[in-house]
């Protein structure tokens, strides 16, 4: 049976093949079809120049977007699904981050510029796999191997050092390819030339990928981790957290891995503002503890997002002498069942009671909220304001 039968989008592909009969599937889609893994994206290679591809498809009524003409890539939209179509290329100049390319009609030349043998295969509309570098054999044996000379491939784009570990986690088996890791060790100094965004993009995938604890240890063993996390890391803590079953949340796992303050990590890795706030919250900690009473859990739930509390619980569990997963899972379950209490008083409520606008409003709200929290976050707006009226003669400043 043709491997193409596994694709749910075969009708759309046949439509493209009717107009671009020389085109072939390439890269991850071919690899994952052969490996019986879920298909994420469909990438297509073709010998026609991108302008020709656009002209041919536009004549048929297919929407085509020039997503990367300089790199030979256009995107066809069929039934709201994107299909990236890239002209066969060969590199003429590389600098470790970017490449200058020219078009070619030679399929092997295009395959030669790709990173790993398992990513360098093509498949035509008849289901024939074109494999110039023994990618199928490597896929079967669990060998993640660079195409051609490993050191040269890394020097063309040093991000491939990180990608190696990501793909090894998903497709590799022991023993690890010695030529690959030797080349990675020899080129670790090039990692500092990568943009923070590219490093974090790959690290996120590694942290939430298969065997993250072992893969990150290998990255440390071969000198990669100290380059990309030069601000400091705590490998044993991270490994313990993953082994305890911490969820596949990239920021939570990053919090378990790094030893530097969140502000430094966020700046070095160019985290988003949301990611930085989460990392800070995970690192900051709270009164999360197995001994929390129901009232204390309600207080925590009122003060923190559930995502933050769950993350903090994994950090606390990892750091705790008591690692009992059943007790911690019960704690997380009980907290998740608590609907977040919302403090019911606003500044306008106090103004209506005669409190003058200004800093005193914030101070007063804090005092009322402290009382509300202390009493389990049950008091209604009316009860909070009644309590305030009974205590407003106390000094509030």
């Amino acid at each position: 049976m043709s491997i193409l039968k596994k694709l749910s989008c075969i009708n759309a592909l046949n439509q493209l093949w009717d107009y671009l009969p020389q085109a072939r599937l390439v890269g991850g889609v071919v690899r994952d079809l052969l490996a019986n893994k879920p298909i994420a994206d469909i990438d297509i290679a073709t010998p026609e120049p991108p302008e020709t591809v656009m002209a041919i498809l536009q004549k048929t009524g297919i929407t085509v977007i020039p997503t990367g003409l300089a790199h030979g890539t256009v995107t066809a939209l069929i039934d709201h699904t994107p299909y990236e179509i890239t002209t066969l290329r060969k590199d003429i100049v590389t600098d470790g981050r970017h490449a200058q390319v020219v078009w070619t009609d030679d399929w092997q030349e295009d395959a030669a510029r790709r990173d790993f043998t398992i990513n360098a295969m093509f498949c035509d509309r008849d289901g024939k796999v074109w494999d110039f570098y023994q990618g199928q054999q490597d896929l079967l044996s669990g060998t993640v191997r660079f195409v051609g000379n490993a050191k040269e491939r890394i020097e063309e784009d040093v991000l491939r050092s990180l990608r190696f570990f990501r793909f090894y986690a998903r497709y590799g088996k022991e023993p690890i390819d010695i030529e690959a890791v030797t080349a990675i060790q020899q080129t670790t100094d090039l990692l500092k030339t990568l943009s923070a965004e590219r490093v974090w993009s790959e690290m996120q995938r590694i942290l939430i990928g298969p065997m993250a604890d072992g893969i990150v240890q290998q990255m440390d063993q071969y000198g990669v981790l100290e380059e990309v996390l030069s601000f400091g890391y705590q490998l044993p803590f991270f490994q313990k957290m993953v082994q305890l079953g911490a969820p596949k949340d990239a920021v939570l796992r990053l919090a378990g891995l790094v030893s530097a303050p969140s502000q430094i990590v966020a700046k070095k890795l160019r985290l988003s503002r949301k990611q930085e706030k989460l990392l800070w919250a995970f690192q900051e900690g709270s009164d999360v503890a197995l001994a929390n009473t129901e009232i204390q859990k309600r207080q925590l739930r009122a003060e923190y997002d559930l995502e933050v509390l769950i993350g903090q619980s994994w950090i606390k569990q990892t750091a705790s002498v008591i690692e009992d997963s059943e007790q911690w899972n019960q704690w997380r379950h009980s907290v998740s069942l608590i609907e977040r209490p919302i403090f019911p008083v606003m500044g306008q409520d106090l103004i209506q009671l005669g409190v003058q606008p200004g800093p005193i409003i914030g101070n007063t709200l804090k005092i009322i909220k402290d009382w509300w929290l202390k009493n389990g976050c049950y008091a209604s707006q009316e009860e909070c304001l009644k309590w305030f009226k009974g205590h407003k003669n106390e000094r509030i400043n």
Side-chain angles (χ1 to χ4, degrees), residues 71-285:
H71 299 98
T73 302
V74 301
T75 300
L77 288 176
I78 300 177
D79 296 329
H80 308 289
T81 300
Y83 298 88
E84 279 200 356
I85 305 170
T86 302
T87 300
L88 298 179
R89 300 168 292 177
K90 65 176 179 179
D91 296 338
I92 53 173
V93 178
T94 58
D95 63 4
R97 292 176 297 171
H98 310 290
Q100 293 182 27
V101 300
V102 294
W103 315 146
T104 181
D105 59 3
D106 187 319
W107 292 92
Q108 187 164 355
E109 277 189 332
D110 186 89
R113 66 181 300 276
R114 298 181 181 271
D115 50 11
F116 309 112
T117 60
I118 60 174
N119 293 339
M121 296 179 284
F122 305 93
C123 179
D124 63 24
R125 73 178 304 173
D126 297 320
K128 178 180 177 180
V129 175
W130 297 78
D131 179 8
F132 299 101
Y133 295 101
Q134 298 181 314
Q136 292 179 85
Q137 180 179 320
D138 287 342
L139 196 59
L140 284 172
S141 65
T143 302
V144 179
R145 184 168 58 88
F146 286 96
V147 172
N149 183 286
K151 191 168 183 286
E152 289 179 4
R153 294 291 83 74
I154 294 170
E155 289 171 342
E156 289 166 357
D157 184 356
V158 69
L159 189 70
R160 289 169 172 170
S161 289
L162 296 182
R163 284 171 59 83
F164 173 84
F165 292 102
R166 174 159 67 89
F167 282 101
Y168 184 71
R170 287 164 172 76
Y171 303 96
K173 299 175 186 175
E174 293 184 343
I176 200 165
D177 185 70
I178 296 301
E179 182 188 353
V181 292
T182 299
I184 288 170
Q185 284 182 304
Q186 292 172 345
T187 54
T188 52
D189 60 311
L190 296 178
L191 288 165
K192 61 175 64 75
T193 67
L194 287 172
S195 70
E197 291 86 353
R198 296 185 81 200
V199 170
W200 175 229
S201 176
E202 282 298 320
M203 283 300 298
Q204 288 183 80
R205 299 179 184 185
I206 290 168
L207 292 176
I208 64 173
M211 307 185 299
D213 54 335
I215 292 298
V216 172
Q217 182 175 8
Q218 288 180 321
M219 292 173 68
D220 185 46
Q221 177 182 344
Y222 294 111
V224 171
L225 209 58
E226 63 182 308
E227 290 291 342
V228 296
L229 300 182
S230 57
F231 41 77
Y233 54 92
Q234 45 188 11
L235 184 57
F237 189 92
F238 169 77
Q239 291 179 302
K240 181 180 176 183
M241 189 171 77
V242 172
Q243 289 160 10
L244 284 170
K248 293 183 176 182
D249 178 296
V251 178
L252 172 58
R253 291 192 170 188
L254 181 67
L257 177 59
V258 297
S259 56
S262 59
Q263 300 92 328
I264 293 175
V265 177
K267 183 178 180 180
K268 292 289 187 179
L269 294 180
R270 300 285 179 88
L271 304 186
S272 69
R273 182 61 182 156
K274 179 181 178 182
Q275 289 172 335
E276 181 180 0
K277 288 175 68 176
L278 261 181
L279 181 62
W280 176 84
F282 291 150
Q283 288 186 333
E284 177 206 27

Side-chain angles (χ1 to χ4, degrees), residues 14-55:
N14 280 329
Q15 188 177 347
L16 290 172
W17 269 316
D18 285 343
Y19 304 114
L20 299 170
Q22 297 184 79
R24 300 173 186 174
L25 304 182
V26 63
V29 59
V30 183
R31 177 197 67 224
D32 289 339
L33 282 171
L34 292 169
N36 289 312
K37 289 183 178 288
I39 306 301
D41 301 304
I42 305 269
D43 292 325
I44 299 168
T46 188
E48 293 89 355
E51 295 81 5
T52 303
V53 172
M54 287 191 69

Side-chain angles (χ1 to χ4, degrees), residues 355 358-367 388 391-397:
V355 179
I360 194 171
I361 291 288
N363 294 337
T364 305
L365 283 173
K366 182 180 184 306
I367 290 172
F388 166 67
H391 295 76
K392 67 179 179 179
N393 291 329
E394 297 179 4
R395 183 178 177 85
I396 298 176
N397 51 42

